[in-house]
Amino acid sequence: MYINNTLLGGRAGVFFPIIMDPFTASTPRETVERVSALLGCSPTSAEVAAYLDKHDKLQHLREKFLVPKIADLPTSDLSLVDGTKECIYFVGNSLGLQPKMARQYLDEELEKWAKMANHGHTKGTRPWAWAENNIEDLMAKIVGAKTEEVALMNGLTVNLHLLMLSFYKPTAARHKILLEYKAFPSDHYAVVSQIQLRGFDPQQSMLLLSPRPGEDALRTEDILEVIEKEGDSIAVVMFSGVQYYTGQLFNMAAITKAGQRKGCYVGFDCAHAVGNVELELHNWGVDFACWCTYKYLNSGAGGLAGAFIHEKHKHTIKPALLGWWGHDLKTRFQMNNVLELQPGVSGFRLSNQPILLVCPLQASLEVFNMTTMQLLRRKSLLLTGYLDYLVQHYYTKDPTQPHKPYVHIITPSDPQQRGCQLSFSFSVPFQKVFQELEKRGVACDMREPSVLRIAPVPLYNSFTDVHRFIETLAAALAACSSQ
Ligand SMILES: *Cc1c(COP(=O)(O)O)cnc(C)c1O
Ligand SMILES: *[C@@H]1O[C@H](CO)[C@@H](O)[C@H](O)[C@H]1NC(C)=O
């Protein structure tokens, strides 16, 4: 029988976990149903989640992070939930959890500051003057870039501006920037101001792309068609890698190719993509990219951000603004005011970087270095697929039961078009659902106008988290309906 052969290694009754790897089945539905058949329980049983956790080879990475206890979250209602349990942390898309090593690294640098003060710039395990350079190889691996193509510096919006100053050179014929209609506000404002800075009119020069009426996500074919039709007047195509609101993962390779074929520069804001999905910025030939590190990269609020410029531009694209950190390290401190500009993105560095931001980012990148984005993504497909499966199981909109609350996922159902986040909308007020979830120890977030964003993060979330979430969601919806 199929199940015996596949799940039990051909010997009925004997269990070989090595042979049964649930992470390689073709779809999450198939996996869940196979596991439930093996265990002789319902696919919705918590036993399925426990089994998947037991076979999750990345499970130990959760131990590298501090998971808040429910009682410590200011929004929990301890009359409804056991406060001693760990919360269900599904908001790593907004602020990643604290890596346990962050405190130690920070302590080391505070200690160094106390003991040797200015000598810390060049001494110790983490000399401040080039501390960020020492973790750029780990960063580069995560975005699929060469180390020289990556710089850790500033904040995300600052980096976006610095890159746009060099890549957006509008002319009368080619002055437009193509972006999503509902790009993240900071990106939208950055683009508006870049266009104004060049003396153009955002009304004329911003090309905003909306989904088709009645649809939540953009279709790749529509994006490519606009590029094909309007490309001659587009200077820069600036998309997010993963859309913060819908969770849609864009086909960055196809967008890059289409844009460049029409002579546009193509850049991505990878804030929601980095550490979430596999990126190959170098191989895709992306011109430039930027990202923050406090979301899936767990560097702490306001952490050091990243920037990428493809090596093909290393001698042609120059920074518009200069600072001493763009000067070659070897002669930087000769202070002779003869600039030896570093090639590529390194020349875009302006200031020395805050060591106190390097420490937590280092702690997190070292955890990423214990696995690969490929393995994280493989787990992610199953983890988010499992959540999707359970939501479909319980909440498919049933026209014969118009009063039963339903949950609608606006994120694309195709796993190749999404990362770990699912964005939920509800038939009951979403703010209310959010409150009821928070009371019960779920950390997620809501975004106007109408969604809750739920992000099971493969680095530290478990299948049991997903299962607990589904039970909690039922309780939250029941509380909403009974009021
Ligand atoms: C999180 C996020 C930002 C935030 O910008 P900061 O400069 O880090 O404050 C900007 N853009 C996108 C797409 C984001 O997801
Ligand atoms: C990253 O991982 C590689 C291989 O697993 C290892 O050799 C290297 O020392 C690690 N680097 C850091 C900084 O942890």
Side-chain angles (χ1 to χ4, degrees):
M1 186 181 136
Y2 173 75
I3 285 180
N4 274 348
N5 284 336
T6 324
L7 298 181
L8 304 178
R11 287 167 60 191
V14 184
F15 175 52
F16 292 116
I18 296 153
I19 291 168
M20 163 55 193
D21 183 350
F23 292 75
T24 54
S26 63
T27 68
R29 168 176 298 276
E30 227 179 79
T31 301
V32 171
E33 289 172 358
R34 274 165 57 184
V35 170
S36 80
L38 168 76
L39 300 175
C41 66
S42 153
T44 60
S45 161
E47 283 176 60
V48 171
Y51 181 95
L52 293 173
D53 280 332
K54 205 169 95 191
H55 291 82
D56 171 12
K57 295 193 183 77
L58 303 181
Q59 200 197 13
H60 62 290
L61 297 178
R62 182 183 176 96
E63 302 304 318
K64 308 289 177 194
F65 294 90
L66 296 166
V67 184
K69 294 278 187 285
I70 291 176
D72 291 329
L73 297 180
T75 45
S76 310
D77 179 344
L78 299 181
S79 70
L80 295 172
V81 64
D82 175 3
T84 65
K85 281 193 178 166
E86 285 176 339
C87 76
I88 303 167
Y89 198 80
F90 279 173
V91 67
N93 56 341
S94 183
L95 185 79
L97 289 176
Q98 183 182 131
K100 284 183 183 164
M101 289 305 284
R103 186 182 295 263
Q104 181 181 321
Y105 292 171
L106 283 164
D107 279 346
E108 284 168 12
E109 297 317 312
L110 289 172
E111 189 65 12
K112 207 161 90 182
W113 182 18
K115 294 248 171 79
M116 62 167 95
N118 74 313
H119 294 285
H121 282 305
T122 53
K123 299 283 187 286
T125 52
R126 205 179 282 111
W128 305 332
W130 49 85
E132 79 276 17
N133 301 131
N134 290 338
I135 56 172
E136 281 166 350
D137 56 337
L138 298 183
M139 185 68 259
K141 249 176 41 179
I142 295 173
V143 296
K146 298 186 175 181
T147 305
E148 318 81 79
E149 291 173 318
V150 166
L152 288 168
M153 57 187 185
N154 314 314
L156 165 55
T157 308
V158 176
N159 288 345
L160 178 56
H161 274 299
L162 295 179
L163 291 164
M164 294 291 282
L165 283 173
S166 293
F167 281 94
Y168 181 53
K169 296 282 174 62
T171 63
R174 192 189 277 277
H175 57 92
K176 291 182 187 163
I177 299 178
L178 176 69
L179 71 164
E180 305 135 59
Y181 155 68
K182 274 281 188 128
F184 193 94
S186 203
D187 302 49
H188 187 97
Y189 305 149
V191 167
V192 168
S193 61
Q194 285 287 334
I195 290 170
Q196 287 170 337
L197 190 65
R198 305 292 173 159
F200 285 79
D201 175 4
Q203 293 284 348
Q204 310 295 322
S205 298
M206 258 173 122
L207 197 52
L208 301 171
L209 209 51
S210 318
R212 295 185 188 186
E215 297 187 6
D216 296 303
L218 283 162
R219 297 192 192 192
T220 305
E221 72 219 59
D222 291 355
I223 300 172
L224 300 185
E225 194 188 307
V226 169
I227 293 174
E228 182 57 35
K229 271 202 192 134
E230 311 262 350
D232 293 335
S233 65
I234 297 172
V236 174
V237 176
M238 229 307 289
F239 262 71
S240 57
V242 170
Q243 224 282 341
Y244 81 99
Y245 185 84
T246 63
Q248 177 177 16
L249 165 60
F250 292 111
N251 188 334
M252 288 177 259
I255 293 171
T256 302
K257 206 163 143 216
Q260 292 173 347
R261 210 160 58 86
K262 297 295 282 189
C264 322
Y265 284 128
V266 182
F268 291 95
D269 182 330
C270 292
H272 278 264
V274 65
N276 176 14
V277 296
E278 288 176 81
L279 293 174
E280 292 187 51
L281 297 180
H282 176 85
N283 288 340
W284 295 336
V286 169
D287 292 299
F288 67 93
C290 49
W291 57 91
C292 53
T293 61
Y294 48 81
K295 292 169 180 167
Y296 296 104
L297 295 185
N298 320 301
S299 70
L304 207 55
F308 162 92
I309 296 179
H310 198 280
E311 71 174 356
K312 66 189 164 190
H313 299 305
K314 112 173 133 179
H315 296 299
T316 46
I317 296 282
K318 302 283 183 196
L321 301 176
L322 298 173
W324 72 322
W325 235 244
H327 187 119
D328 195 309
L329 180 61
K330 289 199 268 316
T331 50
R332 184 180 299 160
F333 301 108
Q334 291 180 3
M335 314 301 267
N336 58 7
N337 290 357
V338 181
L339 178 65
E340 285 179 53
L341 188 69
Q342 301 179 78
V345 75
S346 272
F348 283 62
R349 300 172 200 269
L350 297 175
S351 291
N352 75 95
Q353 293 306 316
I355 185 63
L356 299 182
L357 296 187
V358 172
C359 291
L361 179 56
Q362 179 184 347
S364 175
L365 295 183
E366 286 175 354
V367 181
F368 275 92
N369 191 48
M370 292 168 189
T371 180
T372 60
M373 281 311 302
Q374 193 187 8
L375 288 172
L376 283 167
R377 176 66 169 157
R378 194 170 76 142
K379 172 176 171 184
S380 182
L381 290 171
L382 184 54
L383 190 64
T384 291
Y386 179 50
L387 173 60
D388 195 359
Y389 173 87
L390 291 175
V391 170
Q392 303 305 331
H393 179 89
Y394 287 110
Y395 299 109
T396 300
K397 196 170 174 180
D398 180 356
T400 66
Q401 299 208 33
H403 301 296
K404 204 175 149 198
Y406 71 85
V407 182
H408 169 63
I409 296 175
I410 69 163
T411 309
S413 55
D414 172 7
Q416 301 310 320
Q417 291 187 59
R418 67 189 187 196
C420 73
Q421 170 190 325
L422 297 181
S423 300
F424 289 21
S425 70
F426 301 91
S427 55
V428 291
F430 74 110
Q431 299 94 336
K432 192 83 198 122
V433 183
F434 177 64
Q435 276 173 11
E436 295 298 331
L437 285 170
E438 279 203 315
K439 282 187 202 169
R440 291 166 175 79
V442 175
C444 59
D445 74 3
M446 51 174 236
R447 280 287 179 268
E448 298 289 345
S450 63
V451 300
L452 295 198
R453 303 187 305 170
I454 307 294
V457 172
L459 197 59
Y460 47 70
N461 282 126
S462 65
F463 293 88
T464 299
D465 284 340
V466 170
H467 193 269
R468 282 174 65 205
F469 171 78
I470 282 291
E471 289 185 330
T472 311
L473 181 62
L477 288 172
C480 289
S481 320
S482 69
Q483 282 162 6

